[in-house]
Amino acid sequence: MERVWIEDIGRYADRDVEIRGWLFNKRSSGKVRFLVVRDGTGFLQVVMVKGEVPDEVFNLYDELTYEDAIIVRGKVKREKRAPGGYELLLKDLVIHSKSLDTFPIPKVRPENIPDVGKLFRFRHLWIRSRKQWSILRIRDEVERAIQDFFAARGFRRFDPPIFTPASVEGTTTLFPVPYFDEGEVYLTQSGQLYLEAGAMALGKVYSFGPTFRAEKSRTRRHLTEFWMVEPEVAWATLEDIMDLAEELVVYITERVLENRRMELEILNRDVAKLEAVKRPFPRITYDEAARILLEEKEKGRDIDFTYGEDFGSDEETVISERYDRPVMITHYPRAIKPFYMKPDPKDPSKVLCVDVIAPEGYGEIIGGSQREDDYEELLRRIREEGLPEDEYSWYLDLRKYGSVPHSGFGLGIERTVAWLSGASHVREVIPFARTPERIRP
Amino acid sequence: MERVWIEDIGRYADRDVEIRGWLFNKRSSGKVRFLVVRDGTGFLQVVMVKGEVPDEVFNLYDELTYEDAIIVRGKVKREKRAPGGYELLLKDLVIHSKSLDTFPIPKVRPENIPDVGKLFRFRHLWIRSRKQWSILRIRDEVERAIQDFFAARGFRRFDPPIFTPASVEGTTTLFPVPYFDEGEVYLTQSGQLYLEAGAMALGKVYSFGPTFRAEKSRTRRHLTEFWMVEPEVAWATLEDIMDLAEELVVYITERVLENRRMELEILNRDVAKLEAVKRPFPRITYDEAARILLEEKEKGRDIDFTYGEDFGSDEETVISERYDRPVMITHYPRAIKPFYMKPDPKDPSKVLCVDVIAPEGYGEIIGGSQREDDYEELLRRIREEGLPEDEYSWYLDLRKYGSVPHSGFGLGIERTVAWLSGASHVREVIPFARTPERIRP
């Protein structure tokens, strides 16, 4: 009898198969007993009919407790009412290993229990629940979609270093690491500077890896360890990478809608909201976004914003409410953006940058810019910011030897997955979230 | 005129195109002048014929120096003798930006210059050279091949945490990181324990990310920061993951042979050696491998090995010499392997593990095992090793709630790329290598 995974069961209709998994749930209805078996790739309803299986197998039902490891064998049947469209008519059941204790996570709506800390203490088991399982499968789909997207466009993967001597944007939120005779190095917050070197060597590159931020923030948008994808393209302008960002976000959304329908249903995600994510995205300037905020303030909304400041998450939410899809905000004031962004030739008080704000209050998912490509201008900015010139000499070299316009952006994986899956906190969209308070398990 | 990338030029034969890139090389031959232009996706020969381009364009040739950013326009011509099979018949040339200084890396065989330190100081520019470019493109192919391999087999990507409280294999080679009120956490050396939790939740999982080792080793096989892929499969035995490892290595090799021929040629890689990498790989036990070493020692070879010890890189090389493809060594003594490996029921002094040794002296590329799945036995081993029981309580839970056989392995990206590309040192196969002595640029 062939052993198959639940995810593939549609290919085995009317055939006998073996499934290895765990007891997720069970219920009895007179002569018929139902098991829900999960094997990590899906959930399957298994039907035991008295008289159709040996009595000693039928009676095993009473022994079964949550998360027992079991092997079930039987015939695959199309069944419209069963979740997934198939069920297994049981012929044989083997209990491979019993749970040694009562499963500590409630089977029904674990997310609703009052003690959220308990869920995170048992994260290694909580991920077996339907909702967490669904979120992690959406994360996988998003991550693979991203890599497929860049592969199809001829981007080369380029892994920037994690240990870095200098910082892109100040050292206050960096994690220092003692490093041999070097003293201290820092965990990367962005691979961008290295990716710029990569773009000059390989044309179109992207990174996909963890980045770190030592922020004692308690908002539901922050983790100390999070994953980013960062494309960087030689000869590309701000416009070019805005198009790229738009295509990427639409592509990811389509892939999730196409391949993770069941998971979105389990999560009660309003898919209409995702189906609205089509090109073109609205494109507004910082000034226009600021005007929206001032309008809303005049209407009496509690908005703490002064022109010239960066938008906080509350402001991002107010702006995003006006649109049914992600909104791109460009041309922020130079004073609030990093030194490497290229000023707008038409208004040098602004820079050629873009932030993409997700709908429904999920905040900034992308930040990008055209990079300063003039050697003298970049050097001036490094000095102006009081940055260590020595540490940036290699970065300046990229403008010394055949400088070209180039642009790139970073997309935050957790915020993107949180938005697409409708999760309430980024802590739930990564297998083992790291926050200032939690590094276990 | 359409702007295209050199990699795609075959689709534009006999058409006028624009290429944006850098001057890689030039030579003059009477009335014909040749430029080699690189744009990051490839190298293209550009032909300037006096009289066929305006004189002011023809005369720009004299001004051109290495790595000037240039835009060339002209007709794509099939030309067998040209590297890549195509050349560009120049119609127009624009110098976008001149190099401000002499390019510090020699254009011809930079790898042969005596001052290797200089090459690494200029790593951000060195990666523009043909060989380093080729190696990094092979790395990209290997990385994408791995992800495609696991995607096609229904594996879900599962990102284990980088910050970890406890260690898998002792703390001597861990990087500690000060972490808020937590004191210290450590940078991961392997995501395996977390991936085991993932396999119980998602069935088949894999990670792809950086791992860290604070080893002051100076061998040509070590970095402090390196990338690993780690699959973990529920219900899989040692045999199952040996088959998986074999399939993976063959698939990666085939992808590189299929898509990176030109790069292998640039690197003078003996492709016959890679074409020999076919299933089945030889499978020998530790005892058999030890016998090989003792035989070679008797023949007078300088081998420092005692039965019961682990193999060092010299021993790995001696063993691998007997085979034309990777060799799988199984059943190492329990005493030299970590606590989580399952003892062989037939001989409990050995464990159900496998190391895959690459040919040609490139050493261990894969290490894996079947994991101990018995709660009491695992607890006994944790106590025997004096490991902090508290820190492993979550890991023990995986054996408490429906324990199943499961297995996995880790493949080192850098060693694999070094082997396939024939690189002499793992430092060259990652964009910016980190060693105890080098963290810049």
Side-chain angles (χ1 to χ4, degrees):
Chain A
M1 200 177 288
E2 195 170 353
R3 186 225 160 175
V4 303
W5 295 90
I6 293 173
E7 197 165 23
D8 306 324
I9 202 130
R11 302 208 298 263
Y12 296 88
D14 299 319
R15 284 166 62 185
D16 283 349
V17 298
E18 173 181 302
I19 302 279
R20 301 184 186 190
W22 294 265
L23 183 78
F24 187 73
N25 222 332
K26 64 174 191 176
R27 68 188 163 88
S28 176
S29 165
K31 276 192 210 159
V32 185
R33 290 170 177 184
F34 297 96
L35 312 177
V36 179
V37 176
R38 64 165 198 88
D39 74 348
T41 74
F43 296 82
L44 181 66
Q45 178 164 289
V46 176
V47 186
M48 303 171 83
V49 181
K50 196 172 168 71
E52 294 188 15
V53 287
D55 278 358
E56 65 269 24
V57 171
F58 192 77
N59 293 335
L60 284 174
Y61 176 89
D62 299 318
E63 272 181 51
L64 286 173
T65 55
Y66 292 150
E67 292 301 314
D68 284 351
I70 56 177
I71 299 170
V72 291
R73 301 185 186 102
K75 185 172 266 184
V76 179
K77 283 289 189 192
R78 246 179 273 272
E79 169 54 65
K80 267 184 251 164
R81 288 163 302 171
Y86 293 90
E87 62 180 20
L88 193 79
L89 202 60
L90 190 83
K91 296 191 173 175
D92 193 19
L93 164 69
V94 176
I95 301 180
H96 173 80
S97 74
K98 293 283 304 166
S99 283
L100 307 179
D101 209 339
T102 307
F103 197 65
I105 303 280
K107 278 284 155 179
V108 180
R109 302 185 196 285
E111 287 77 7
N112 292 355
I113 73 163
D115 183 4
V116 175
K118 185 180 174 185
L119 289 174
F120 281 99
R121 272 198 311 284
F122 288 101
R123 182 65 176 169
H124 54 293
L125 303 174
W126 186 24
I127 56 178
R128 301 183 185 185
S129 79
R130 291 172 81 96
K131 289 207 170 178
Q132 299 303 310
W133 175 85
S134 297
I135 291 173
L136 292 180
R137 279 172 62 92
I138 289 172
R139 180 186 175 100
D140 160 74
E141 188 69 30
V142 167
E143 294 188 324
R144 284 186 298 106
I146 288 169
Q147 313 223 29
D148 293 344
F149 176 88
F150 287 113
R153 280 157 186 79
F155 281 67
R156 300 293 146 224
R157 194 182 148 116
F158 186 90
D159 302 311
I162 308 293
F163 291 137
T164 55
S167 128
V168 177
E169 301 170 55
T171 59
T172 50
T173 58
L174 289 174
F175 281 106
V177 183
Y179 195 90
F180 307 103
D181 304 333
E182 187 59 44
E184 275 178 350
V185 297
Y186 301 98
L187 298 180
T188 185
Q189 279 192 344
S190 159
Q192 181 205 313
L193 306 193
Y194 296 95
L195 287 158
E196 290 182 50
M200 302 306 146
L202 296 156
K204 300 172 276 190
V205 294
Y206 74 104
S207 67
F208 194 111
T211 54
F212 305 87
R213 199 168 286 256
E215 217 164 358
K216 242 191 153 154
S217 162
R218 286 167 181 276
T219 81
R220 62 194 189 90
R221 292 180 183 175
H222 288 91
L223 297 170
T224 57
E225 175 187 316
F226 56 101
W227 289 68
M228 280 232 285
V229 56
E230 297 183 83
E232 188 77 28
V233 187
W235 298 93
T237 62
L238 176 63
E239 283 286 314
D240 293 329
I241 58 118
M242 284 174 71
D243 291 344
L244 187 73
E246 200 178 61
E247 282 170 35
L248 173 63
V249 172
V250 169
Y251 179 75
I252 295 171
T253 310
E254 282 172 355
R255 276 275 296 260
V256 169
L257 282 168
E258 201 177 307
N259 298 328
R260 291 294 172 261
R261 279 277 165 180
M262 178 183 59
E263 291 81 353
L264 293 170
E265 247 170 66
I266 290 173
L267 295 165
N268 299 314
R269 183 70 174 105
D270 183 351
V271 291
K273 289 226 163 74
L274 300 183
E275 280 160 351
V277 179
K278 302 247 180 257
R279 300 185 70 175
F281 293 173
R283 297 179 180 205
I284 61 175
T285 62
Y286 171 89
D287 284 358
E288 286 162 343
R291 222 169 294 138
I292 291 174
L293 292 175
L294 298 176
E295 272 171 34
E296 294 292 327
K297 202 171 176 173
E298 269 175 32
K299 286 186 201 161
R301 284 185 74 168
D302 181 25
I303 288 168
D304 179 28
F305 169 77
T306 314
Y307 181 86
E309 284 176 354
D310 205 354
F311 304 127
S313 49
D314 289 345
E315 287 83 47
E316 285 171 358
T317 302
V318 171
I319 298 162
S320 71
E321 277 169 10
R322 298 224 170 171
Y323 308 97
D324 67 342
R325 58 194 77 185
V327 51
M328 306 180 112
I329 310 179
T330 62
H331 299 86
Y332 283 63
R334 202 177 78 164
I336 57 169
K337 287 289 183 184
F339 73 96
Y340 52 72
M341 292 189 178
K342 190 176 178 69
D344 181 7
K346 287 181 227 142
D347 173 7
S349 74
K350 302 290 194 329
V351 283
L352 299 173
C353 70
V354 60
D355 281 2
V356 181
I357 315 294
E360 303 171 70
Y362 283 94
E364 182 195 326
I365 50 172
I366 284 179
S369 73
Q370 186 164 337
R371 323 305 189 184
E372 180 54 76
D373 55 346
D374 182 80
Y375 181 85
E376 293 299 335
E377 189 55 31
L378 186 64
L379 181 60
R380 206 183 58 70
R381 289 288 288 130
I382 285 170
R383 287 178 179 159
E384 200 171 85
E385 300 265 331
L387 293 167
E389 213 174 300
D390 271 13
E391 292 288 4
Y392 289 97
S393 69
W394 70 270
Y395 185 61
L396 283 157
D397 276 356
L398 305 178
R399 282 73 180 168
K400 202 183 252 179
Y401 303 103
S403 189
V404 303
H406 60 289
S407 304
F409 62 82
L411 173 140
I413 302 296
E414 284 74 21
R415 290 205 188 160
T416 303
V417 177
W419 161 49
L420 293 172
S421 63
S424 57
H425 197 299
V426 288
R427 280 183 308 189
E428 290 186 28
V429 306
I430 186 167
F432 293 89
R434 294 300 184 240
T435 61
E437 298 78 31
R438 179 159 297 283
I439 58 139
R440 288 185 175 79
Chain B
M1 200 176 289
E2 193 169 356
R3 185 225 161 177
V4 303
W5 295 90
I6 293 173
E7 197 166 22
D8 306 324
I9 202 130
R11 303 207 298 261
Y12 297 87
D14 299 319
R15 284 166 61 183
D16 284 348
V17 298
E18 174 181 301
I19 302 280
R20 301 184 185 188
W22 294 266
L23 183 78
F24 187 73
N25 223 331
K26 65 173 191 175
R27 69 190 163 86
S28 175
S29 163
K31 277 193 208 158
V32 185
R33 288 171 178 183
F34 297 95
L35 312 178
V36 179
V37 177
R38 63 165 198 90
D39 74 347
T41 73
F43 296 83
L44 180 67
Q45 179 163 288
V46 176
V47 187
M48 306 172 79
V49 182
K50 197 173 166 72
E52 294 187 14
V53 286
D55 278 357
E56 65 271 23
V57 170
F58 192 78
N59 293 335
L60 285 175
Y61 177 90
D62 298 319
E63 273 181 51
L64 287 173
T65 55
Y66 292 149
E67 292 301 315
D68 284 352
I70 56 177
I71 298 170
V72 291
R73 299 184 187 103
K75 185 172 266 185
V76 179
K77 282 288 190 192
R78 244 179 274 270
E79 171 54 65
K80 266 184 252 165
R81 287 162 304 173
Y86 293 90
E87 64 181 20
L88 192 80
L89 204 59
L90 190 83
K91 296 190 170 173
D92 193 18
L93 164 69
V94 177
I95 301 180
H96 173 80
S97 74
K98 294 282 305 167
S99 282
L100 306 179
D101 208 340
T102 306
F103 197 66
I105 303 281
K107 276 285 157 181
V108 180
R109 302 185 196 284
E111 287 77 6
N112 292 354
I113 74 164
D115 183 3
V116 176
K118 185 181 175 185
L119 289 174
F120 281 98
R121 274 200 307 285
F122 288 101
R123 181 64 177 171
H124 53 293
L125 302 174
W126 185 24
I127 55 178
R128 300 183 185 185
S129 77
R130 291 173 80 96
K131 288 207 171 179
Q132 299 303 310
W133 175 85
S134 297
I135 291 173
L136 292 180
R137 279 171 62 92
I138 289 172
R139 181 186 174 99
D140 160 74
E141 188 69 30
V142 167
E143 294 188 323
R144 285 186 297 107
I146 288 169
Q147 313 223 30
D148 293 344
F149 177 87
F150 287 113
R153 279 159 186 78
F155 280 68
R156 300 294 147 224
R157 195 183 146 114
F158 185 90
D159 302 311
I162 308 293
F163 291 136
T164 54
S167 126
V168 176
E169 300 171 54
T171 60
T172 50
T173 58
L174 289 174
F175 281 106
V177 182
Y179 195 88
F180 307 103
D181 305 333
E182 187 59 43
E184 277 178 349
V185 297
Y186 301 98
L187 297 180
T188 184
Q189 279 193 345
S190 159
Q192 181 204 313
L193 306 194
Y194 296 95
L195 287 157
E196 291 182 49
M200 302 307 145
L202 296 157
K204 299 173 278 189
V205 295
Y206 73 103
S207 67
F208 195 112
T211 53
F212 304 87
R213 199 169 286 254
E215 216 165 359
K216 242 191 152 152
S217 161
R218 286 167 180 276
T219 81
R220 63 193 188 89
R221 292 180 182 173
H222 288 92
L223 298 169
T224 56
E225 174 188 315
F226 56 102
W227 289 68
M228 281 232 285
V229 56
E230 298 184 82
E232 187 77 29
V233 187
W235 298 93
T237 62
L238 175 63
E239 283 286 315
D240 293 330
I241 59 116
M242 284 175 72
D243 291 344
L244 187 72
E246 200 179 61
E247 282 170 35
L248 173 63
V249 173
V250 169
Y251 179 76
I252 295 171
T253 310
E254 282 172 355
R255 276 275 297 259
V256 169
L257 282 169
E258 199 177 309
N259 297 330
R260 291 294 172 258
R261 279 277 166 182
M262 178 182 61
E263 291 81 353
L264 292 170
E265 247 169 64
I266 290 173
L267 295 166
N268 299 315
R269 183 69 174 104
D270 184 351
V271 291
K273 289 228 164 71
L274 300 182
E275 280 160 351
V277 178
K278 300 249 180 258
R279 301 185 69 177
F281 293 173
R283 297 179 179 203
I284 62 175
T285 62
Y286 172 89
D287 284 358
E288 286 162 343
R291 220 169 294 137
I292 291 174
L293 291 176
L294 298 176
E295 273 172 35
E296 294 292 327
K297 201 171 177 176
E298 267 175 35
K299 286 186 198 158
R301 284 185 75 168
D302 182 24
I303 288 167
D304 180 28
F305 169 77
T306 314
Y307 181 85
E309 283 175 356
D310 205 355
F311 305 127
S313 49
D314 289 345
E315 287 82 47
E316 285 172 358
T317 302
V318 170
I319 298 162
S320 72
E321 276 169 10
R322 298 225 171 168
Y323 308 97
D324 67 343
R325 59 195 76 185
V327 52
M328 306 180 112
I329 310 179
T330 62
H331 300 86
Y332 283 64
R334 204 176 78 163
I336 57 169
K337 287 290 183 183
F339 73 95
Y340 52 72
M341 293 190 177
K342 190 176 177 68
D344 182 5
K346 287 181 225 138
D347 172 7
S349 75
K350 302 291 194 329
V351 282
L352 298 174
C353 70
V354 61
D355 281 3
V356 181
I357 314 294
E360 303 173 70
Y362 282 94
E364 182 194 326
I365 51 173
I366 285 180
S369 72
Q370 185 165 337
R371 322 306 188 184
E372 180 55 74
D373 55 345
D374 182 81
Y375 180 85
E376 293 299 335
E377 189 56 29
L378 185 64
L379 181 61
R380 205 183 59 70
R381 289 288 289 130
I382 285 171
R383 287 177 178 160
E384 199 172 83
E385 301 265 330
L387 294 167
E389 213 174 300
D390 270 13
E391 292 288 4
Y392 290 97
S393 69
W394 70 269
Y395 185 61
L396 283 158
D397 275 355
L398 305 178
R399 282 73 180 168
K400 203 184 251 178
Y401 303 102
S403 188
V404 303
H406 60 289
S407 304
F409 63 81
L411 174 140
I413 302 297
E414 283 74 21
R415 289 203 189 162
T416 304
V417 176
W419 161 49
L420 294 172
S421 62
S424 56
H425 197 298
V426 288
R427 281 183 307 192
E428 291 186 28
V429 306
I430 187 167
F432 293 90
R434 294 301 183 238
T435 61
E437 297 77 33
R438 180 159 296 281
I439 59 139
R440 288 183 175 79

